[in-house]
Amino acid sequence: SQKIEQNSEALNIQEGKTATLTCNYTNYSPAYLQWYRQDPGRGPVFLLLIRENEKEKRKERLKVTFDTTLKQSLFHITASQPADSATYLCALDNAGNNRKLIWGLGTSLAVNP
Amino acid sequence: DAGVTQSPTHLIKTRGQHVTLRCSPISGHKSVSWYQQVLGQGPQFIFQYYEKEERGRGNFPDRFSARQFPNYSSELNVNALLLGDSALYLCASSSKTRGTEAFFGQGTRLTVV
């Protein structure tokens, strides 16, 4: 069956450390994968998009990797800050005619001062 | 420049009633997608419209319908509301149907009692 899985448990880290979040998928062949941040009661906010032919993408303190062999994406936040505390969602393109993004359940990140 | 706007922000309805949710995309964006997000879950795709045509449909019953207007704004209609329809309904706009980031509104919190 098709699945997209993110770290099921909340991640607690100390301010200044690097947070690493995982997104694994099964039985999909996405053309691209996206990461979003979501705060309670708000809509998701786009962070990064990485295509299947890209290994790594960076934006300021954020880095995403995409390994289509392992069927995995890693999302890193370096020099984390308490303001980075939120739920982080990965979404992949379900290549096909349905045009829909498939979303993980999200990983809750708490950065402690 | 205004982002994606949704109305209303909160709504309480009784089982069996009908509801209409509205979304105005970012200026220049022709694609609007609707998602349902239940607490603790990732967004679930409902519909995508592009240039006033339905381009994708998720696994939702026929009680859910949508349309897009000439100005690219969109409505999501849900008939015969069930308790299980209680959720955050998100609208996302994008410049293309695939391969680009989605910009989300703040959502409409629907509670069915």
Side-chain angles (χ1 to χ4, degrees):
Chain A
S1 63
Q2 294 177 316
K3 284 192 296 186
I4 176 169
E5 294 178 316
Q6 297 187 242
N7 312 54
S8 56
E9 294 182 8
L11 192 60
N12 281 274
I13 64 169
Q14 208 61 32
E15 182 176 7
K17 300 291 186 184
T18 296
T20 298
L21 284 66
T22 305
C23 178
N24 295 299
Y25 58 93
T26 309
N27 292 327
Y28 285 113
S29 296
Y32 61 90
L33 190 145
Q34 303 185 37
W35 284 89
Y36 288 78
R37 168 188 173 135
Q38 187 171 28
D39 292 286
R42 309 297 299 270
V45 174
F46 171 79
L47 297 174
L48 282 167
L49 179 153
I50 188 165
R51 302 185 187 281
E52 61 178 339
N53 60 349
E54 297 174 317
K55 296 292 185 188
E56 182 180 297
K57 207 95 175 264
R58 291 175 186 262
K59 178 183 173 183
E60 298 172 351
R61 293 184 296 111
L62 309 179
K63 184 178 86 171
V64 171
T65 63
F66 193 10
D67 189 324
T68 55
T69 302
L70 291 179
K71 296 187 182 296
Q72 181 182 78
S73 175
L74 298 179
F75 176 77
H76 306 273
I77 306 175
T78 58
S80 59
Q81 304 166 0
D84 295 326
S85 300
T87 295
Y88 291 85
L89 296 156
C90 71
L92 56 83
D93 168 58
N94 182 26
N97 294 326
N98 206 0
R99 309 286 187 193
K100 65 180 180 180
L101 284 176
I102 308 297
W103 296 76
L105 297 181
T107 298
S108 175
L109 172 67
V111 181
N112 305 309
Chain B
D1 203 12
V4 178
T5 57
Q6 291 186 244
S7 62
T9 54
H10 295 83
L11 201 53
I12 299 175
K13 288 287 192 177
T14 305
R15 276 180 300 175
Q17 285 189 312
H18 162 271
V19 69
T20 297
L21 310 181
R22 295 178 174 82
C23 172
S24 292
I26 289 172
S27 178
H29 283 188
K30 299 179 180 179
S31 175
V32 170
S33 297
W34 287 95
Y35 293 85
Q36 180 196 68
Q37 187 176 27
V38 173
L39 199 62
Q41 304 285 316
Q44 296 292 312
F45 173 78
I46 310 176
F47 288 108
Q48 184 187 64
Y49 277 77
Y50 183 79
E51 289 275 23
K52 303 184 291 289
E53 290 187 3
E54 182 183 301
R55 293 299 189 94
R57 174 184 284 254
N59 297 325
F60 280 80
D62 292 344
R63 298 185 296 107
F64 288 77
S65 64
R67 55 180 176 167
Q68 187 177 33
F69 299 98
N71 66 354
Y72 304 113
S73 67
S74 177
E75 282 182 355
L76 176 70
N77 295 285
V78 187
N79 293 323
L81 285 166
L82 303 173
L83 296 180
D85 294 331
S86 297
L88 181 67
Y89 287 85
L90 295 163
C91 170
S93 82
S94 54
S95 56
K96 300 187 293 185
T97 58
R98 296 177 65 190
T100 187
E101 67 260 40
F103 295 85
F104 284 83
Q106 81 281 12
T108 294
R109 171 67 62 187
L110 172 65
T111 303
V112 182
V113 297

